[in-house]
Each structure stands twice: as structure tokens, then as C-alpha cells.
Amino acid sequence: MGKRIAIVGSNFAGLTAAVELKKRLGKEHEVVVLSRTDEFLFNPSLIWVPFGLREKKDVTFPLAPIFEKYGIPFQHAAVTAIDLAGRQVVTANGTTAYDFLVIATGPKLNFTAIPGLGPHEGYTQSIMNWEGAALARTAFEKFLEAPGPVIVGAVQGAACFGAGYEFLFNMAYQLDKHGLTKKAPLTWLTAEPFLAHFGIGGFGAGTKMTETFFGRNGIEAITNATVREVRPGEVLLEDGRKLPFAYAMLVPSFLGVDAVRSCKDITTPAGFVKVDAHYRTEAYPEVYAAGVAVAMDPPGKTPVPCGVPKTGYLSEEMAKVVVHNIVATIRGEPLVALPPASIDAKCVLDAGNGGIVMLGDHFLGPRKREWLIPGPEAHWAKLAFEKYFLATRRRGRV
């Protein structure tokens, strides 16, 4: 008898899981996707949007044609509840029963954790989704008319430090291009205990390289920072310091999306899914998770809480393990175990006209091998990968 696999979410982990499952299971089993968005978003390119270097059409594509190509039913509807005991996913369109569930929802941006944080009800910009990046562009255009101090960083509990650094370095590049380096002093404000900690305990000589870059570009760094409040034109730190700004972009902490966070049996207090090395939940072995939705413990305690980043590459690798194990369970074959910390690291950190390629045998330490390749080739590598990734995914190749 055929099984139904429901996938909640449709970006890096969700799209990969859906297409790979359908290709491996064929018509005998059904794969269904439910998602609040009907477009794929290539998040790594959002760092360029505020500077007018990308439009929405450059970094998104419609999902429905891909799912139709593979015969995958697609519901463009936000999931409002998950009935784990009853094996049902609930949306405004009704309920979908499942034999296996893959949670690949991504995060909810936790702007409300800090008063005044965020572009909608606060005073800082964001590059964590398209809407935020578009607002950040409008704000940057206004900033050019009245430049002043710039603050870029990641608040306590944040996990996406890499994107913050990329935006910082691109901001430094843009300020130099516009001749605003002296008029717009640049500050990096971060919960990290040291530069290039990234929420993963550091990476090789990354700290030394970052310190050199900061010194060369006159960037001030404030580490171990706890933000108490953001006011118009001012960031107030827990230690009483007040930092003025004409433009600020601060990465927020993440939560699990509401429907997932309500599933207390399988989630952390923040709403991320607790899984084993097979990406299954203990209480409900038919429920899997991949991508940002997965709970990951920091590699070590830090004075100010830092989350663990989950890149697009990491999300896709998790999804591939999920696919293998669902197929193996259906066919009575052995499962594979590959915890997130053991997945290899592949990352390109862009800096406008340069950057760093980061490669390692493990995402989290200790690592036996790690390589850092600085230079303009990193910028070109990111551009090339963007073109390759979007060209293949638009054709449904994962």
C-alpha cells in the first residue's frame, strides 16, 4: 500500500526533500508539499538587495511548475497546526493526512525579543527575508542623502552571523564607493565572544583574517554585546552604552514557526525540532525535520547566548539524509546516521569585491581539516554559485 509523505516548507530543505523523494519513490507513493510561500528564495543573495544589486526576479522563482513537473501536489497555504497523534497537517484549506512528515519550515524572525528591533515596528533593518531586504534598500537610499554612523551586527541569541558579516563587508565596500567612509563610521555589534566566532566556535584563522579586514577598513568591533533596546537613531546596550546610528541592520534571533512551536513533545522551548542522528523525532519516529527547523546545541557556552547557524548547504544535506531514511524505512532497508555537526562545511563569505572561501571536514569542531581562502576569487565564486544554483533549481534539478 502506498505511503503519503507530507513536507511542510519549500525552500532549501523542503524543495530538495520533495524532489528527491518523488524521484526515488515514483508513482507508488505520494509526496505532498504544503508551504506558506509559492516562491523559492535564494537567501544568500539578500545581502546585495539593499544596495540595488538584485531585484526580486533575480533571486526567486515559482515553485508550482517544478512540483507539477514531478507530479507532486502543492498546497500554497500556511500550516496552522500539526496533529502529531492523528498524523494530520492543518491549513486554512483543510487537513492533510500523512504516513511520514518532514518539517522544513525555516524560522520565525524574533524581532519582538528586543524593543525597537526590526523594520516593521522598530528602527533597524533586516536582510533575513525579501520583504526586509527591500525595506533595507529604501532605508539605504535615504541614508545616502543624510549619512551618519552605521551599525551592523547580530543580537543575543542570533544564529545567522555569516550573513551579518557579509552585509557588513558589503556595506564597507559601498561606503567606500560612495566616498562616505569618513562621514559614516562603521561598527560591528555582536553577541559573539570574539570576531569570526560565527556561532560555531570559530573557524581556523578566521579571527585573524577578520581582525585584519576590520583594521584595514576602520571598522570598530563590539563583542559580547547584549542589546537592551533600540530607539530612533540609537542602540542601547545592557551595560549602559548608547550607540548612535543613521543606519542599522541587526540580525535577530530565530524561533520555530508557530505551528511547529506548538508541538511541545518534539520541540525545544524556542520551537526547534529535536531529532536524532537520522533526523527523526523520538516521540514520533515518522516525523522528520531538516534545515533551520532542526534544533542544534551550540558547541560551547558563551558569555552572551549565540545560536548555531544553518546554511543552505547544511539544510540540503540534512534533507538528503531524511530522504534516504524515509525511503529505507518504507523498503525495510538500513538507515543512515549523519548528525549536523558531522556534515562537512562549505561556505563563501562575500565582501563586495573579495571575501573568504571556507571549507572544513566538519561543520562543528573539532575538525581535522579546515581551509580558508581569502581574495577576490571568493566574490567570483559566490557569483558563479548563485548563477549555477538558480539555473539548476529553476529546472527542478536538486
Side-chain angles (χ1 to χ4, degrees):
M1 184 176 177
K3 304 294 184 181
R4 175 184 287 166
I5 302 98
I7 299 172
V8 181
S10 58
N11 225 58
F12 285 94
L15 177 61
T16 297
V19 172
E20 287 295 305
L21 276 167
K22 193 60 182 176
K23 285 166 65 176
R24 294 187 62 177
L25 292 174
K27 295 181 179 180
E28 183 181 354
H29 305 282
E30 185 180 14
V31 178
V32 179
V33 176
L34 308 96
S35 176
R36 63 177 178 81
T37 178
D38 61 351
E39 292 181 319
F40 184 97
L41 172 64
F42 188 66
N43 312 69
S45 294
L46 293 180
I47 57 167
W48 295 315
V49 172
F51 308 116
L53 301 176
R54 294 293 184 278
E55 301 297 332
K56 190 174 183 181
K57 63 180 177 60
D58 300 322
V59 296
T60 63
F61 57 84
L63 289 162
I66 296 172
F67 294 134
E68 183 179 357
K69 172 183 176 180
Y70 286 99
I72 299 172
F74 175 50
Q75 286 192 41
H76 176 206
V79 171
T80 56
I82 299 173
D83 179 1
L84 295 172
R87 296 192 181 187
Q88 291 186 327
V89 178
V90 182
T91 71
N93 298 337
T95 61
T96 299
Y98 63 81
D99 296 290
F100 295 93
L101 174 65
V102 180
I103 298 173
T105 49
K108 177 179 180 178
L109 304 180
N110 192 19
F111 291 122
T112 59
I114 298 172
L117 186 68
H120 300 292
E121 298 180 9
Y123 311 101
T124 63
Q125 305 306 316
S126 170
I127 53 165
M128 294 295 102
N129 55 29
W130 172 259
E131 293 76 17
L135 290 172
R137 174 187 296 185
T138 301
F140 184 72
E141 291 169 352
K142 292 180 179 178
F143 162 81
L144 292 178
E145 298 172 2
V150 177
I151 298 175
V152 177
V155 304
Q156 58 271 23
C160 202
F161 293 99
Y165 275 106
E166 287 191 290
F167 185 79
L168 173 76
F169 296 155
N170 274 269
M171 175 64 78
Y173 178 67
Q174 291 294 326
L175 292 176
D176 182 59
K177 282 185 64 176
H178 286 88
L180 295 176
T181 302
K182 292 183 179 180
K183 291 183 179 180
L186 190 52
T187 299
W188 171 249
L189 181 67
T190 180
E192 301 164 283
F194 54 83
L195 292 181
H197 178 277
F198 297 124
I200 59 174
F203 197 98
T207 297
K208 185 176 181 180
M209 287 185 184
T210 304
E211 289 173 344
T212 300
F213 187 90
F214 273 45
R216 191 176 299 160
N217 289 272
I219 302 172
E220 180 184 358
I222 301 176
T223 56
N224 286 315
T226 299
V227 177
R228 181 190 300 176
E229 182 183 357
V230 182
R231 300 168 181 168
E234 184 179 73
V235 175
L236 177 62
L237 300 185
E238 195 64 44
D239 62 12
R241 279 181 288 179
K242 297 178 181 179
L243 309 176
F245 68 84
Y247 188 101
M249 195 294 292
L250 295 176
V251 176
S253 59
F254 291 167
L255 295 172
V257 300
D258 293 346
V260 175
R261 199 162 70 252
S262 298
C263 300
K264 306 294 186 183
D265 290 349
I266 62 170
T267 59
T268 66
F272 296 106
V273 184
K274 297 178 290 186
V275 297
D276 60 17
H278 307 295
Y279 297 92
R280 299 180 304 182
T281 65
E282 182 179 354
Y284 299 91
E286 72 279 2
V287 177
Y288 290 75
V292 178
V294 171
M296 288 182 63
D297 293 327
K301 189 174 181 180
T302 53
V304 178
C306 294
V308 180
K310 297 146 195 171
T311 64
Y313 173 73
L314 195 69
S315 296
E316 289 195 335
E317 292 300 295
M318 292 185 200
K320 292 174 184 178
V321 178
V322 168
V323 168
H324 176 95
N325 287 335
I326 290 177
V327 173
T329 300
I330 291 173
R331 295 175 177 171
E333 299 170 352
L335 306 185
V336 296
L338 183 63
S342 296
I343 295 174
D344 61 319
K346 290 184 175 70
C347 184
V348 180
L349 198 151
D350 181 69
N353 62 346
I356 304 173
V357 177
M358 305 169 65
L359 304 170
D361 60 341
H362 287 88
F363 177 66
L364 297 181
R367 305 179 191 92
K368 293 182 179 179
R369 293 177 296 278
E370 49 191 10
W371 300 270
L372 290 165
I373 308 169
E377 59 267 38
H379 175 65
W380 293 110
K382 178 150 184 168
L383 293 176
F385 180 74
E386 176 196 47
K387 303 300 182 189
Y388 163 79
F389 184 96
L390 288 169
T392 54
R393 277 16 176 227
R394 282 189 174 110
R395 292 170 173 79
R397 295 173 54 194
V398 301

